[in-house]
Amino acid sequence: MERNYLSFERNTIRKKWRGRLPIALIFPNTYPLGMANLGFLSLYESLNSYKEIVCERFFFESSPEARSLESKTPLEEFPIILFSVPFEGDFVNILSILLKGKIPLNPIERAQTVIGGGVALWSNPEPLSLFFDGFLLGEWEAIEEKAIPLFLEFAVNKKKLLEALNFLDFFYSPFHFGKRRVKLAKADPLKKPLLSKITSSKAEFGGSYLMEVSRGCGRGCRFCLAGFIYRPPRGYSTEVLLERAEEIPLGSKVGLIGLEFVDREEIWKLGEFLLQRDVTLTFSSLRVDALREDFLRLLRKTKSIALAPEVTTTRLKNLINKRVEEGEIIRTLESLRESGISKVKFYFIFGLPEETEEDLRHLATFIKSLLNRSLPYQFSFSFAPFVPKPHTPLQWAPFEGEKTLEGKISLLRRELKGIKNVKIDSPWEALKQALFARGDASLGTFILKLAHGEALKRVLGEIPQVERILRPPVEKDFAFPWDFIDTGVSKDYLFREWLRALEGKTTPPCNRQICKACGACKISY
């Protein structure tokens, strides 16, 4: 690794190799981001809980070699290589890491077994299907008991390992066995909250323990992949949460992950319990409608929060099925005056279907009115172009295009001239993300050329049927590359939600006791 990150860690796992199966676990982005990803950290700790396995971490670095963080062992010496991929934007990094590690990109030419997982690949692994031996699609708790024995038995025999894995309905290996239908593995009910005990001062959350408090979201925001692919939303009882929280040392910093049920009694009790242990709570993002008086007590040691209203006009709120009212935001910020919070970050989306210049001007007006209130916070504002994601109602929506998005960025910059801490994501990066999220196996050559350093604009024209990827026909039965993945949510339901979005109709949140509309609660995992 380029830096000695181990010196900044606590509770690092150190294991000897002798007599153990070496597994490389790769997060295809930087160390600070990877060490703030609870899924990656939980998988790392889970693999190392087996006495027969030694699992070591790799991250995407600028160094010329791919060596493990723990022992500086070259990647090529690991018989099993696992990728944890939460973001489509990291697809190019995956190939770059393999190239640095002297791992042949053609699965037939290499001895190592390269397997991918993580929500970006659960969503649509097809663009990388030429380079991977296979994919484990689903939550690790539902996969672990079936996959680990196969790893241990067949690790040195790649052919037998892949044949054994291919009997599992959540394993997908189109390169070796062809395309087939796959069922996303989910743990329902959840038994034990994820809690990562490895901390690093260089992580994005700065030395925080990370603890899951619920999984999935039933709010039904129509643009959100996680909100649909993790259905049904699942939580934990107060007793289970408190029992897990007892493992967190006194005086720690804790990031709570999965605050879908943040206004429920369980979270209040958990938060109070942690504060009694002199814990500082941090949150990646909070729902404005959940910041009621009881929850505000949990923020008394928190210095910064993030809010994601996404849009500000009623029409777009209805379209994405996320109604966050400006008055509610203002009232919440007013109520936080005495909380000790000093920084507030806002997240917005632009480039949604049927968005107008007036929608963007309305958004800018809201920001100006917010700043004119002399609230005691340092504000920052982040804008991301809309990327239509698989397995969501907006998978039928077109990607607006980089030139149109550049025009909207110019408008936003004019309207927000003089305002500090404004960050607008690149439309070209959004284009790349849209292609990776929505493409098929024909995208492999394009990704490889980017990994070899070729310019995006230069190779863009070489993608076959690029318009069909970015702007598909609005037909219920249109065959998307990811349709072979059974997430539990029916395509019929997603299309009905797409039509409701166009009609400006909202849909109420999930209620598992009375609603079976999307299909996720009908499937037994």
Side-chain angles (χ1 to χ4, degrees):
M1 301 295 290
E2 191 176 49
R3 301 175 62 177
N4 183 22
Y5 283 118
L6 291 179
S7 63
F8 299 101
E9 291 187 357
R10 296 178 63 186
N11 305 319
T12 302
I13 298 171
R14 300 179 186 274
K15 297 178 78 172
K16 295 181 179 180
W17 276 51
R18 188 173 180 179
R20 293 189 168 102
L21 166 63
I23 295 179
L25 179 62
I26 304 178
F27 187 88
N29 207 307
T30 62
Y31 176 90
L33 281 177
M35 291 300 292
N37 186 281
L38 180 56
F40 171 77
L41 294 174
S42 297
L43 177 56
Y44 173 68
E45 293 176 37
S46 172
L47 290 168
N48 275 311
S49 70
Y50 292 88
K51 65 180 185 299
E52 306 94 333
I53 293 173
V54 53
C55 177
E56 298 193 349
R57 291 165 289 170
F58 290 75
F59 300 92
F60 180 74
E61 299 286 341
S62 58
S63 53
E65 297 179 293
R67 292 179 175 268
S68 67
L69 181 65
E70 287 80 1
S71 66
K72 304 295 187 285
T73 302
L75 181 60
E76 59 188 326
E77 294 187 22
F78 291 80
I80 294 179
I81 299 172
L82 302 181
F83 279 89
S84 178
V85 189
F87 311 113
E88 298 92 350
D90 294 334
F91 283 9
V92 175
N93 294 349
I94 291 170
L95 299 193
S96 297
I97 291 168
L98 291 175
L99 290 168
K100 283 184 182 181
K102 301 176 183 177
I103 307 296
L105 297 185
N106 186 335
I108 294 176
E109 296 175 357
R110 62 178 176 242
Q112 301 86 352
T113 303
V114 178
I115 296 174
V119 69
L121 296 180
W122 308 351
S123 168
N124 180 20
E126 284 294 281
L128 291 171
S129 59
L130 297 178
F131 310 109
F132 276 76
D133 289 294
F135 304 90
L136 291 169
L137 304 183
E139 298 167 356
W140 180 244
E141 300 99 317
I143 290 174
E144 179 180 2
E145 289 185 3
K146 296 179 180 179
I148 289 293
L150 302 182
F151 287 173
L152 294 174
E153 185 174 359
F154 301 118
V156 296
N157 190 323
K158 176 175 173 176
K159 183 174 183 293
K160 287 188 176 180
L161 174 58
L162 292 173
E163 287 174 348
L165 287 170
N166 200 49
F167 281 103
L168 304 176
D169 60 4
F170 50 76
F171 183 71
Y172 181 58
S173 179
F175 185 91
H176 295 286
F177 304 107
K179 198 164 181 177
R180 66 179 176 92
R181 191 155 180 80
V182 181
K183 181 187 288 187
L184 205 66
K186 297 182 185 178
D188 190 14
L190 297 173
K191 295 178 180 178
K192 192 175 184 180
L194 298 181
L195 171 63
S196 174
K197 297 181 180 179
I198 300 176
T199 65
S200 171
S201 60
K202 294 298 180 181
E204 196 79 3
F205 291 138
S208 296
Y209 287 78
L210 301 179
M211 179 175 171
E212 179 184 58
V213 294
S214 69
R215 188 175 304 173
C217 176
R219 295 282 154 178
C221 299
R222 293 178 177 129
F223 61 89
C224 180
L225 171 61
F228 286 91
I229 207 165
Y230 281 110
R231 285 194 180 196
R234 290 148 285 161
Y236 302 96
S237 68
T238 302
E239 292 72 27
V240 169
L241 288 170
L242 294 180
E243 181 180 350
R244 193 68 157 140
E246 287 179 355
E247 300 176 32
I248 299 172
L250 298 173
S252 301
K253 187 178 177 183
V254 178
L256 298 182
I257 309 296
L259 290 166
E260 151 63 8
F261 301 119
V262 72
D263 52 348
R264 284 173 37 174
E265 185 178 355
E266 289 94 328
I267 305 304
W268 296 337
K269 289 183 177 179
L270 171 65
E272 289 290 356
F273 175 80
L274 290 171
L275 290 176
Q276 288 169 15
R277 295 172 66 85
D278 195 31
V279 162
T280 298
L281 298 177
T282 65
F283 310 90
S284 56
S285 183
L286 292 171
R287 287 204 338 264
V288 173
D289 61 335
L291 294 177
R292 298 169 186 165
E293 186 174 349
D294 285 329
F295 186 77
L296 296 181
R297 295 202 306 269
L298 306 184
L299 301 176
R300 57 180 179 261
K301 296 182 69 176
T302 304
K303 299 301 180 186
S304 64
I305 61 171
L307 304 175
E310 316 296 359
V311 295
T312 58
T313 57
T314 300
R315 184 172 54 82
L316 291 183
K317 290 174 188 177
N318 291 345
L319 184 139
I320 66 173
N321 202 43
K322 186 169 185 177
R323 294 292 300 266
V324 179
E325 305 302 335
E326 287 83 344
E328 197 169 15
I329 294 172
I330 299 301
R331 287 191 295 273
T332 297
L333 294 176
E334 291 284 0
S335 68
L336 290 172
R337 278 181 177 272
E338 309 302 322
S339 66
I341 289 172
S342 58
K343 296 181 180 180
V344 179
K345 184 171 187 176
F346 279 88
Y347 291 99
F348 298 102
I349 296 175
F350 67 100
L352 284 159
E354 303 185 2
E355 180 184 74
T356 66
E357 291 187 359
E358 189 55 40
D359 292 314
L360 298 178
R361 290 192 179 91
H362 189 279
L363 196 162
T365 298
F366 164 72
I367 290 174
K368 293 173 187 175
S369 67
L370 184 69
L371 296 174
N372 288 336
R373 289 180 174 273
S374 302
L375 291 162
Y377 311 112
Q378 178 184 326
F379 287 107
S380 60
F381 307 96
S382 181
F383 298 83
F386 165 66
V387 174
K389 293 295 181 74
H391 308 291
T392 69
L394 296 189
Q395 67 182 357
W396 283 275
F399 176 72
E400 216 171 34
E402 63 282 359
K403 292 183 179 179
T404 303
L405 291 173
E406 284 177 339
K408 292 188 173 184
I409 289 173
S410 296
L411 188 153
L412 283 170
R413 292 200 184 282
R414 287 196 304 272
E415 293 292 326
L416 297 173
K417 188 176 181 180
I419 294 176
K420 298 179 180 178
N421 303 317
V422 173
K423 177 179 177 291
I424 304 178
D425 291 349
S426 162
W428 290 96
E429 283 301 311
L431 170 63
K432 192 165 65 174
Q433 186 186 141
L435 290 167
F436 296 162
R438 304 176 60 82
D440 57 21
S442 68
L443 220 62
T445 303
F446 170 70
I447 299 173
L448 179 58
K449 288 185 176 182
L450 293 179
H452 281 298
E454 294 197 39
L456 171 64
K457 294 180 183 180
R458 196 168 111 189
V459 297
L460 193 59
E462 300 177 20
I463 299 174
Q465 296 187 309
V466 66
E467 280 296 310
R468 194 172 176 85
I469 294 173
L470 298 175
R471 285 167 275 276
V474 183
E475 301 167 0
K476 185 179 74 171
D477 297 325
F478 175 74
F480 290 111
W482 52 86
D483 279 349
F484 68 95
I485 301 172
D486 180 4
T487 68
V489 179
S490 74
K491 191 174 180 181
D492 283 348
Y493 175 80
L494 295 177
F495 192 72
R496 291 199 301 273
E497 279 295 293
W498 163 249
L499 295 179
R500 289 179 66 83
L502 296 180
E503 295 167 0
K505 295 179 180 177
T506 58
T507 300
C510 285
N511 184 329
R512 292 194 66 179
Q513 282 68 47
I514 63 173
C515 178
K516 308 292 182 186
C518 77
C521 290
K522 294 178 183 177
I523 292 181
S524 176
Y525 293 96

